[in-house]
Amino acid sequence: MNFFARLYYWSRKAWKAVALYLVIAGPGLVVMVADNDAGGITTYAATGAKYGYHLIWFLLLLVPVAYYVQEMTVRLGAVTKRGHAEAIFDGFGAFWGWFSLLDLLIVDWLTLVTEFVGMTAALAIFGMPPWVTVIAVIALMMIIVLNGRYWTFEKLALLFCALNLVYIPGAFLVHPSMQAVLHEGLIPNFAGGFNGQLFFFLMANIGTTIAPWMLFFQQSAVVDKGMQEKDIPWGRFDTFLGSVVTVVVAIFIVIVTGTVLPGIDIDSAAQASQQLMTTNRWVGTLLAIGLFDAGLLGAICISLASSWAFGEIFGWAHSLNTKIREAPWFYATYLAMLATAGAIVLIPKAPLVLITLFVQVVAVTLLPAALVFLILLLNDEATMGDRRNTPVQNLIGGGIVVSIIVLSTLYGITVLFPGYFQ
Amino acid sequence: MNKVHALLTKIGQINARYRTPRIAMSGAVRGSLLVLRLYLIGLVLLMVYGFVRIVTRG
């Protein structure tokens, strides 16, 4: 009897913890899964096809990287109650503020183009013309945010996050050799040696896991959600869970293309879906559905990151808890971002796949500047108090910044001198 | 025209509001940040060059 009483007590306690998490869950999980966007799916699919399972260990390294970077935005948002753009303007002045805002605007807009590239390509597989996809997607995304509640947006976004998991059954359907996955994937190695292509793929994989817009999105979402300092532990857990989910999904995509399309140069996830359909119709279809879902979730979050940032700086009402007549500029910015990015996809013969991979690399190249500001803000004792960075956190943050700069530089060298590492 | 003027006025107000950074930075830190920014912009331009080269090569 005593055993059953204890079991009941612990199950009640566990359920309460899960219920509490489901209330708090959101910004961390959404931002991380949203980063497995259309460009991300394309990058992972191309990585698996190009390098097989050989770069899985590198993806695993990105779990702590993503966690440490995004966890800082949780603390900053919960303590200051300010979005990231406002925090930079306030902390470093207007000059650096405009610089950061311009960075964000350019990278966000370019990334948004890649989301539309992915979504139109995914639905084209099912016979949908691109212009219909663009109009339908913009209409759907406006409906999602116009309901006037942050909570509703977040729960819908979590539903899209769950759809992102379709790649896991997809990987089991192609029957990968677990021995090969473990043996080739978990032992650090650089298949094919050091060259420009490897640096490009490593950077693109980092760029799909951490990006400047994520810093702005998560901090603003933490503020819009109304998270307090006491919620930071849950925010951390949410962010950690999101980091694990995003990398697990990435690994399963790599396993799918690494198993079915090894050694093939994949230009896009849509192309990978079409090729997979010839060998396994279900897996190809799952990849296409996942690609559309990833593009949709990424597009919503990226547009919101920009709208929040501009709202914070220009002093417009900028909350999803406001109606359109209360925050017209917030929603106008959101719509303008979507409409202009969607229009690019409709330009005939635009090199859309190349743009997709290129944008990931540009995003990661600009990331160190944003990270340096983030680390400096987290070291401001006057604002952060006990929540400021510890020396270990600074060391990890600094290490990430230096690693990205070194990798970007190596890639830059291969652009200038293509034969340098051969 | 009025809207452009209003936007410029707003930007002026933002510049005035955030004229003084709250976090004090030494000249060396400011200089390092500027060098880092310019370096990263240089790398991005290099990538744009690489991108254009690939596109024009077909």
Side-chain angles (χ1 to χ4, degrees), chain A residues 219-235:
Chain A
Q219 191 171 331
S220 296
V222 162
V223 175
D224 210 353
K225 193 181 170 90
M227 282 175 76
Q228 308 291 319
E229 280 190 57
K230 66 180 170 56
D231 301 323
I232 288 175
W234 284 106

Side-chain angles (χ1 to χ4, degrees), chain A residues 99 102-104 106-107 110 203 211-212 360-372 404 408, chain B residues 36-37 39-44 47:
Chain A
F99 230 129
L102 199 65
D103 269 5
L104 177 77
I106 293 169
V107 177
L110 286 171
M203 282 179 68
Q360 311 295 331
V361 175
V362 169
V364 78
T365 305
L366 289 172
L367 185 64
L371 286 180
V372 168
I404 294 173
S408 307
Chain B
L36 174 67
R37 277 280 177 183
Y39 179 65
L40 296 178
I41 289 171
L43 279 178
V44 169
M47 284 162 199

